[in-house]
Amino acid sequence: MLTKSLIRAALALCVLPPVVAAAAGAFTPAALDSQPQRATEPEPDANYVFGLLDRNGDGRIDAAEARASAPLVKYFGDIDTDSDGKIDRTEWVAYFQHMDPRT
C-alpha cells in the first residue's frame, strides 16, 4: 500500500540517521534521556511522519524537505492540493484520510 510505503520510506530517511549517530556515540546518555519518548506503534500516524519530514519545523514540507523521501517526491503534487509548493499538515492528513487503510 502506498501509505505504508511512504511512511516506511520517511521513517527510514528521518529516523535511521540519528540511530546510527547514537550508535557511533554522537549522543550522550543525558541527551537521550532528555528527549521526549514516544510510545512504540506498529504503524506511525500521519502527524508523526509529517513531523519527521518537516525538518525545519515551520509546519510545512517544502520541495527540499520532500526530496528526502522518493515516494513523497512522486506524490508531492497530489498532496499539495493548493499548489503553493508546500504541504501543510491539513493537506497531509487529508491525503492520508482518503487512502483505504485496509489495502
Side-chain angles (χ1 to χ4, degrees):
M1 180 176 141
L2 172 64
T3 304
K4 289 181 182 179
S5 298
L6 183 61
I7 290 171
R8 286 186 185 121
L11 284 175
L13 292 170
C14 296
V15 174
L16 289 180
V19 171
V20 171
F27 297 113
T28 64
L32 290 174
D33 289 341
S34 66
Q35 295 178 359
Q37 298 297 315
R38 182 167 173 82
T40 304
E41 301 173 353
E43 286 289 334
D45 67 7
N47 281 309
Y48 178 68
V49 174
F50 182 90
L52 294 175
L53 291 168
D54 179 21
R55 293 190 170 217
N56 64 6
D58 68 350
R60 297 179 292 180
I61 301 170
D62 59 32
E65 292 168 320
R67 283 192 289 273
S69 170
L72 182 53
V73 170
K74 182 176 180 180
Y75 296 100
F76 191 89
D78 295 336
I79 301 171
D80 180 21
T81 56
D82 63 4
S83 301
D84 67 350
K86 297 180 181 179
I87 299 171
D88 63 31
R89 192 174 298 270
T90 304
E91 291 171 318
W92 179 264
V93 171
Y95 181 79
F96 287 105
Q97 285 178 341
H98 289 91
M99 301 295 293
D100 183 3
R102 294 170 290 169
T103 59

